């Protein structure tokens, strides 16, 4: 069974204090690892898809990396507007319809 | 990217009634997905809807409780039937980009409260 575990559950940072969020996964044939941002009362906002170990993607202050067992979302010099829940999800091979399995999320709070 | 419009954004329903949620995509997509997000929890897939075929339900979800329609390549509905307070959740529709399904986008969600 596909599993996704995110850590920490919650992270509190000061503005400008860089850090990383972790997403560990076990899946039979990874077809993609997805990162989302979710603000309260809203649907998840797509950030990145990573497909193979060693791949990296960047968007503004965010950088996602992927290994064979985990992914990291690095946040450089965060701002209060980066406060949100960050979700990680995987799409497994062998499924023809693109089902995503989600982790529990990391609640990020950035204090000014 | 796909833009997904979901209605209603929220509703309060009496137990025993049903709620139908609509999901409209701004482009034709092969697959649409319906997720549930219970309070403080992450997303759980309810079912996958392909146009012209029966929806595929995940373990723990049944068609009688969550009937789904997919009349064309841009639209789907999810009905939550015979509501109980345990059905209070956020319901989200999702789709990939075209047939490649390399990305996945979500609607804004429907917050359902059952009283």
């Amino acid at each position: 069974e596909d599993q996704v575990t995110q850590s920490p559950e919650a992270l509190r940072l000061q503005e400008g204090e860089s850090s990383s969020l972790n997403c560990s996964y076990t899946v039979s044939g990874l077809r993609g690892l997805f990162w989302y941002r979710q603000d309260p009362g809203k649907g998840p906002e797509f950030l990145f898809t990573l497909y193979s170990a060693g791949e990296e993607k960047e968007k503004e202050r965010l950088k996602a990396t992927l290994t064979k067992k985990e992914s990291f979302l690095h946040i450089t010099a965060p701002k209060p507007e980066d406060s949100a829940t960050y979700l990680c999800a995987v799409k497994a091979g062998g499924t023809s319809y693109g089902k995503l399995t989600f982790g529990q999320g990391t609640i990020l709070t950035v204090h000014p | 990217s796909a833009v997904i419009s979901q209605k209603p954004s929220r509703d309060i329903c009496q137990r025993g009634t049903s709620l139908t949620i609509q999901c409209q995509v701004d482009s034709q997509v092969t697959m649409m997905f319906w997720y549930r997000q219970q309070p403080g929890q992450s997303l759980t897939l309810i079912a996958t809807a392909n146009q012209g075929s029966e929806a595929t339900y995940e373990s723990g979800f049944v068609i009688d409780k969550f009937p789904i329609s997919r009349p064309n390549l841009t639209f789907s509905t999810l009905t939550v039937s015979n509501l109980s307070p345990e059905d209070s959740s956020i319901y989200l529709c999702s789709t990939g980009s075209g047939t490649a399904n390399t990305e996945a986008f979500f609607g804004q969600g429907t917050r359902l409260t059952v009283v």
Side-chain angles (χ1 to χ4, degrees):
Chain A
E1 183 178 333
D2 303 331
Q3 284 193 316
V4 180
T5 304
Q6 291 187 246
S7 61
E9 292 185 7
L11 181 63
R12 300 167 72 91
L13 299 174
Q14 289 298 124
E15 184 172 3
E17 179 187 3
S18 301
S19 188
S20 296
L21 312 181
N22 178 263
C23 172
S24 298
Y25 63 92
T26 55
V27 64
S28 54
L30 181 70
R31 295 286 299 277
L33 185 140
F34 296 72
W35 281 99
Y36 291 89
R37 169 193 172 126
Q38 187 175 28
D39 293 301
K42 296 190 176 182
E45 174 189 346
F46 173 79
L47 294 174
F48 305 107
T49 309
L50 302 169
Y51 295 101
S52 57
E55 188 174 2
E56 299 181 351
K57 288 191 177 175
E58 290 188 65
K59 180 179 180 180
E60 297 180 355
R61 294 177 293 281
L62 300 177
K63 178 180 178 180
T65 62
L66 182 65
T67 73
K68 289 185 177 180
K69 293 184 178 180
E70 58 191 349
S71 177
F72 292 93
L73 185 65
H74 307 278
I75 303 176
T76 303
K79 298 181 178 182
E81 52 263 41
D82 294 323
S83 298
T85 297
Y86 289 85
L87 298 169
C88 170
V90 295
K91 186 195 302 185
T95 58
S96 60
Y97 52 83
K99 166 188 173 181
L100 295 181
T101 301
F102 280 84
Q104 291 298 103
T106 293
I107 302 171
L108 174 66
T109 305
V110 182
H111 296 283
Chain B
S1 65
V3 177
I4 302 172
S5 301
Q6 193 173 331
K7 295 192 294 186
S9 58
R10 60 178 61 225
D11 207 341
I12 301 173
C13 299
Q14 297 288 326
R15 65 178 68 197
T17 63
S18 298
L19 175 70
T20 295
I21 303 166
Q22 299 180 0
C23 183
Q24 178 77 51
V25 187
D26 68 343
S27 59
Q28 293 186 341
V29 293
T30 305
M31 299 170 188
M32 295 180 74
F33 306 88
W34 287 97
Y35 288 83
R36 181 175 71 183
Q37 187 173 28
Q38 294 179 301
Q41 302 295 314
S42 192
L43 283 74
T44 301
L45 181 66
I46 297 171
T48 303
N50 285 338
Q51 193 264 337
S53 64
E54 293 276 335
T56 303
Y57 289 83
E58 297 298 305
S59 176
F61 298 96
V62 294
I63 187 171
D64 289 346
K65 177 68 175 177
F66 299 99
I68 288 171
S69 76
R70 181 82 200 274
N72 57 53
L73 290 173
T74 64
F75 187 79
S76 179
T77 67
L78 169 74
T79 299
V80 189
S81 304
N82 190 24
L83 291 168
S84 68
E86 294 71 36
D87 295 320
S88 297
S89 287
I90 298 173
Y91 293 86
L92 296 141
C93 69
S94 171
T95 184
S97 62
T99 57
N101 227 22
T102 53
E103 298 171 313
F105 303 98
F106 285 82
Q108 289 297 296
T110 297
R111 182 181 294 273
L112 169 62
T113 303
V114 182
V115 298

